[in-house]
Amino acid sequence: LVLQFLEDKKGRVWVATFYGLKLYDPKVDTVKVIKFDTVEYVTLNRNFIVRVVESSDGTIWSATMGGLVKYNPETDIVKTYR
């Protein structure tokens, strides 16, 4: 189930879903999935993404059922706040 779409400043499309955050880059026609993973150290804190916004510096912020997630798409670094 898709809850929200967001087009960022670079023309990429972020999709907030029940199953994580999807990033579609139409320039290279690729989809990246960012989701909670019990094995990976740096992941979302929950897969249910309620809202996604882009800050002025290009950081992607996601509201999840488990708190707030800060994602830097340039460095692929995720930080969670509960």
Side-chain angles (χ1 to χ4, degrees):
L1 181 61
V2 173
L3 298 173
Q4 180 191 359
F5 291 97
L6 168 74
E7 184 175 350
D8 69 16
K9 296 173 190 169
K10 293 187 174 186
R12 300 172 295 192
V13 178
W14 298 84
V15 183
T17 75
F18 278 178
Y19 308 105
L21 188 61
K22 314 301 193 259
L23 170 58
Y24 173 65
D25 189 339
K27 292 178 184 172
V28 291
D29 196 30
T30 59
V31 175
K32 179 176 183 160
V33 178
I34 304 158
K35 64 180 185 170
F36 175 74
D37 187 334
T38 56
V39 177
E40 292 290 323
Y41 177 70
V42 180
T43 68
L44 296 177
N45 57 2
R46 295 285 188 276
N47 282 333
F48 186 163
I49 308 297
V50 179
R51 181 102 165 108
V52 61
V53 297
E54 180 183 19
S55 63
S56 60
D57 67 355
T59 300
I60 301 298
W61 292 88
S62 300
T64 73
M65 295 304 287
L68 190 62
V69 176
K70 177 182 177 182
Y71 177 67
N72 183 324
E74 305 309 318
T75 62
D76 206 30
I77 293 175
V78 176
K79 180 161 176 65
T80 59
Y81 302 88
R82 296 181 185 178

PDB file of all heavy atoms in Angstrom, residues 25-42:
ATOM      1  N   ASP A  25      14.646   6.488  -9.429  1.00  0.00           N
ATOM      2  CA  ASP A  25      15.438   7.489 -10.138  1.00  0.00           C
ATOM      3  C   ASP A  25      15.164   7.344 -11.631  1.00  0.00           C
ATOM      4  O   ASP A  25      15.675   6.420 -12.276  1.00  0.00           O
ATOM      5  CB  ASP A  25      16.923   7.301  -9.851  1.00  0.00           C
ATOM      6  CG  ASP A  25      17.768   8.444 -10.376  1.00  0.00           C
ATOM      7  OD1 ASP A  25      17.313   9.171 -11.294  1.00  0.00           O
ATOM      8  OD2 ASP A  25      18.888   8.627  -9.875  1.00  0.00           O
ATOM      9  N   PRO A  26      14.340   8.237 -12.200  1.00  0.00           N
ATOM     10  CA  PRO A  26      13.981   8.099 -13.610  1.00  0.00           C
ATOM     11  C   PRO A  26      15.143   8.338 -14.575  1.00  0.00           C
ATOM     12  O   PRO A  26      15.097   7.877 -15.708  1.00  0.00           O
ATOM     13  CB  PRO A  26      12.877   9.142 -13.801  1.00  0.00           C
ATOM     14  CG  PRO A  26      13.091  10.142 -12.722  1.00  0.00           C
ATOM     15  CD  PRO A  26      13.697   9.383 -11.573  1.00  0.00           C
ATOM     16  N   LYS A  27      16.190   9.024 -14.125  1.00  0.00           N
ATOM     17  CA  LYS A  27      17.335   9.285 -15.005  1.00  0.00           C
ATOM     18  C   LYS A  27      18.068   8.004 -15.364  1.00  0.00           C
ATOM     19  O   LYS A  27      18.608   7.880 -16.461  1.00  0.00           O
ATOM     20  CB  LYS A  27      18.298  10.272 -14.348  1.00  0.00           C
ATOM     21  CG  LYS A  27      17.718  11.662 -14.219  1.00  0.00           C
ATOM     22  CD  LYS A  27      18.673  12.596 -13.535  1.00  0.00           C
ATOM     23  CE  LYS A  27      18.024  13.954 -13.327  1.00  0.00           C
ATOM     24  NZ  LYS A  27      18.839  14.835 -12.512  1.00  0.00           N
ATOM     25  N   VAL A  28      18.113   7.056 -14.439  1.00  0.00           N
ATOM     26  CA  VAL A  28      18.794   5.778 -14.683  1.00  0.00           C
ATOM     27  C   VAL A  28      17.833   4.593 -14.607  1.00  0.00           C
ATOM     28  O   VAL A  28      18.251   3.443 -14.713  1.00  0.00           O
ATOM     29  CB  VAL A  28      19.982   5.576 -13.717  1.00  0.00           C
ATOM     30  CG1 VAL A  28      21.095   6.550 -14.026  1.00  0.00           C
ATOM     31  CG2 VAL A  28      19.552   5.708 -12.267  1.00  0.00           C
ATOM     32  N   ASP A  29      16.528   4.885 -14.414  1.00  0.00           N
ATOM     33  CA  ASP A  29      15.467   3.882 -14.363  1.00  0.00           C
ATOM     34  C   ASP A  29      15.768   2.775 -13.344  1.00  0.00           C
ATOM     35  O   ASP A  29      15.744   1.594 -13.669  1.00  0.00           O
ATOM     36  CB  ASP A  29      15.219   3.289 -15.749  1.00  0.00           C
ATOM     37  CG  ASP A  29      13.895   2.537 -15.811  1.00  0.00           C
ATOM     38  OD1 ASP A  29      12.957   2.908 -15.076  1.00  0.00           O
ATOM     39  OD2 ASP A  29      13.803   1.563 -16.585  1.00  0.00           O
ATOM     40  N   THR A  30      16.067   3.195 -12.096  1.00  0.00           N
ATOM     41  CA  THR A  30      16.346   2.231 -11.038  1.00  0.00           C
ATOM     42  C   THR A  30      15.439   2.486  -9.837  1.00  0.00           C
ATOM     43  O   THR A  30      14.978   3.605  -9.620  1.00  0.00           O
ATOM     44  CB  THR A  30      17.806   2.315 -10.552  1.00  0.00           C
ATOM     45  OG1 THR A  30      18.055   3.638 -10.068  1.00  0.00           O
ATOM     46  CG2 THR A  30      18.780   1.969 -11.659  1.00  0.00           C
ATOM     47  N   VAL A  31      15.207   1.435  -9.074  1.00  0.00           N
ATOM     48  CA  VAL A  31      14.444   1.523  -7.837  1.00  0.00           C
ATOM     49  C   VAL A  31      15.314   0.987  -6.713  1.00  0.00           C
ATOM     50  O   VAL A  31      15.873  -0.104  -6.823  1.00  0.00           O
ATOM     51  CB  VAL A  31      13.133   0.711  -7.906  1.00  0.00           C
ATOM     52  CG1 VAL A  31      12.420   0.731  -6.559  1.00  0.00           C
ATOM     53  CG2 VAL A  31      12.235   1.238  -9.001  1.00  0.00           C
ATOM     54  N   LYS A  32      15.435   1.769  -5.647  1.00  0.00           N
ATOM     55  CA  LYS A  32      16.156   1.341  -4.449  1.00  0.00           C
ATOM     56  C   LYS A  32      15.134   1.176  -3.338  1.00  0.00           C
ATOM     57  O   LYS A  32      14.249   2.002  -3.170  1.00  0.00           O
ATOM     58  CB  LYS A  32      17.190   2.384  -4.053  1.00  0.00           C
ATOM     59  CG  LYS A  32      17.950   2.017  -2.805  1.00  0.00           C
ATOM     60  CD  LYS A  32      19.028   3.019  -2.496  1.00  0.00           C
ATOM     61  CE  LYS A  32      19.787   2.542  -1.278  1.00  0.00           C
ATOM     62  NZ  LYS A  32      21.085   3.138  -1.173  1.00  0.00           N
ATOM     63  N   VAL A  33      15.255   0.102  -2.570  1.00  0.00           N
ATOM     64  CA  VAL A  33      14.361  -0.159  -1.453  1.00  0.00           C
ATOM     65  C   VAL A  33      15.129   0.065  -0.157  1.00  0.00           C
ATOM     66  O   VAL A  33      16.202  -0.503   0.042  1.00  0.00           O
ATOM     67  CB  VAL A  33      13.806  -1.595  -1.505  1.00  0.00           C
ATOM     68  CG1 VAL A  33      12.902  -1.867  -0.305  1.00  0.00           C
ATOM     69  CG2 VAL A  33      13.065  -1.843  -2.807  1.00  0.00           C
ATOM     70  N   ILE A  34      14.576   0.906   0.702  1.00  0.00           N
ATOM     71  CA  ILE A  34      15.176   1.183   2.003  1.00  0.00           C
ATOM     72  C   ILE A  34      14.177   0.675   3.029  1.00  0.00           C
ATOM     73  O   ILE A  34      13.057   1.175   3.107  1.00  0.00           O
ATOM     74  CB  ILE A  34      15.433   2.695   2.180  1.00  0.00           C
ATOM     75  CG1 ILE A  34      16.302   3.196   1.027  1.00  0.00           C
ATOM     76  CG2 ILE A  34      16.073   2.988   3.525  1.00  0.00           C
ATOM     77  CD1 ILE A  34      16.193   4.672   0.789  1.00  0.00           C
ATOM     78  N   LYS A  35      14.572  -0.348   3.796  1.00  0.00           N
ATOM     79  CA  LYS A  35      13.614  -0.944   4.716  1.00  0.00           C
ATOM     80  C   LYS A  35      14.290  -1.436   5.982  1.00  0.00           C
ATOM     81  O   LYS A  35      15.518  -1.524   6.062  1.00  0.00           O
ATOM     82  CB  LYS A  35      12.858  -2.088   4.048  1.00  0.00           C
ATOM     83  CG  LYS A  35      13.738  -3.246   3.659  1.00  0.00           C
ATOM     84  CD  LYS A  35      12.922  -4.332   2.995  1.00  0.00           C
ATOM     85  CE  LYS A  35      13.812  -5.539   2.736  1.00  0.00           C
ATOM     86  NZ  LYS A  35      13.078  -6.700   2.324  1.00  0.00           N
ATOM     87  N   PHE A  36      13.470  -1.774   6.960  1.00  0.00           N
ATOM     88  CA  PHE A  36      13.944  -2.336   8.209  1.00  0.00           C
ATOM     89  C   PHE A  36      14.517  -3.714   7.952  1.00  0.00           C
ATOM     90  O   PHE A  36      13.952  -4.511   7.217  1.00  0.00           O
ATOM     91  CB  PHE A  36      12.789  -2.428   9.222  1.00  0.00           C
ATOM     92  CG  PHE A  36      13.165  -3.100  10.504  1.00  0.00           C
ATOM     93  CD1 PHE A  36      13.960  -2.448  11.432  1.00  0.00           C
ATOM     94  CD2 PHE A  36      12.736  -4.376  10.769  1.00  0.00           C
ATOM     95  CE1 PHE A  36      14.315  -3.065  12.615  1.00  0.00           C
ATOM     96  CE2 PHE A  36      13.083  -5.003  11.957  1.00  0.00           C
ATOM     97  CZ  PHE A  36      13.873  -4.338  12.878  1.00  0.00           C
ATOM     98  N   ASP A  37      15.671  -3.993   8.555  1.00  0.00           N
ATOM     99  CA  ASP A  37      16.325  -5.286   8.404  1.00  0.00           C
ATOM    100  C   ASP A  37      16.981  -5.633   9.733  1.00  0.00           C
ATOM    101  O   ASP A  37      17.800  -4.873  10.236  1.00  0.00           O
ATOM    102  CB  ASP A  37      17.361  -5.196   7.287  1.00  0.00           C
ATOM    103  CG  ASP A  37      17.974  -6.545   6.950  1.00  0.00           C
ATOM    104  OD1 ASP A  37      18.005  -7.440   7.803  1.00  0.00           O
ATOM    105  OD2 ASP A  37      18.449  -6.689   5.817  1.00  0.00           O
ATOM    106  N   THR A  38      16.656  -6.770  10.287  1.00  0.00           N
ATOM    107  CA  THR A  38      17.218  -7.155  11.585  1.00  0.00           C
ATOM    108  C   THR A  38      18.691  -7.533  11.483  1.00  0.00           C
ATOM    109  O   THR A  38      19.390  -7.560  12.485  1.00  0.00           O
ATOM    110  CB  THR A  38      16.444  -8.339  12.195  1.00  0.00           C
ATOM    111  OG1 THR A  38      16.454  -9.427  11.271  1.00  0.00           O
ATOM    112  CG2 THR A  38      15.019  -7.941  12.514  1.00  0.00           C
ATOM    113  N   VAL A  39      19.178  -7.798  10.283  1.00  0.00           N
ATOM    114  CA  VAL A  39      20.577  -8.182  10.092  1.00  0.00           C
ATOM    115  C   VAL A  39      21.465  -6.956   9.882  1.00  0.00           C
ATOM    116  O   VAL A  39      22.559  -6.861  10.417  1.00  0.00           O
ATOM    117  CB  VAL A  39      20.721  -9.159   8.900  1.00  0.00           C
ATOM    118  CG1 VAL A  39      22.169  -9.503   8.651  1.00  0.00           C
ATOM    119  CG2 VAL A  39      19.889 -10.413   9.150  1.00  0.00           C
ATOM    120  N   GLU A  40      20.990  -6.010   9.085  1.00  0.00           N
ATOM    121  CA  GLU A  40      21.770  -4.817   8.783  1.00  0.00           C
ATOM    122  C   GLU A  40      21.775  -3.857   9.969  1.00  0.00           C
ATOM    123  O   GLU A  40      20.765  -3.684  10.638  1.00  0.00           O
ATOM    124  CB  GLU A  40      21.192  -4.086   7.560  1.00  0.00           C
ATOM    125  CG  GLU A  40      21.338  -4.834   6.270  1.00  0.00           C
ATOM    126  CD  GLU A  40      22.759  -4.914   5.793  1.00  0.00           C
ATOM    127  OE1 GLU A  40      23.512  -3.935   5.959  1.00  0.00           O
ATOM    128  OE2 GLU A  40      23.124  -5.961   5.249  1.00  0.00           O
ATOM    129  N   TYR A  41      22.901  -3.226  10.223  1.00  0.00           N
ATOM    130  CA  TYR A  41      23.023  -2.286  11.338  1.00  0.00           C
ATOM    131  C   TYR A  41      22.316  -0.962  11.056  1.00  0.00           C
ATOM    132  O   TYR A  41      21.651  -0.415  11.913  1.00  0.00           O
ATOM    133  CB  TYR A  41      24.496  -2.034  11.647  1.00  0.00           C
ATOM    134  CG  TYR A  41      24.707  -1.012  12.733  1.00  0.00           C
ATOM    135  CD1 TYR A  41      24.372  -1.298  14.050  1.00  0.00           C
ATOM    136  CD2 TYR A  41      25.194   0.248  12.441  1.00  0.00           C
ATOM    137  CE1 TYR A  41      24.542  -0.366  15.052  1.00  0.00           C
ATOM    138  CE2 TYR A  41      25.369   1.192  13.436  1.00  0.00           C
ATOM    139  CZ  TYR A  41      25.045   0.875  14.736  1.00  0.00           C
ATOM    140  OH  TYR A  41      25.201   1.815  15.717  1.00  0.00           O
ATOM    141  N   VAL A  42      22.465  -0.452   9.841  1.00  0.00           N
ATOM    142  CA  VAL A  42      21.884   0.854   9.500  1.00  0.00           C
ATOM    143  C   VAL A  42      20.667   0.626   8.613  1.00  0.00           C
ATOM    144  O   VAL A  42      20.792   0.375   7.424  1.00  0.00           O
ATOM    145  CB  VAL A  42      22.917   1.737   8.782  1.00  0.00           C
ATOM    146  CG1 VAL A  42      22.311   3.080   8.426  1.00  0.00           C
ATOM    147  CG2 VAL A  42      24.145   1.921   9.639  1.00  0.00           C
TER     148      VAL A  42
END
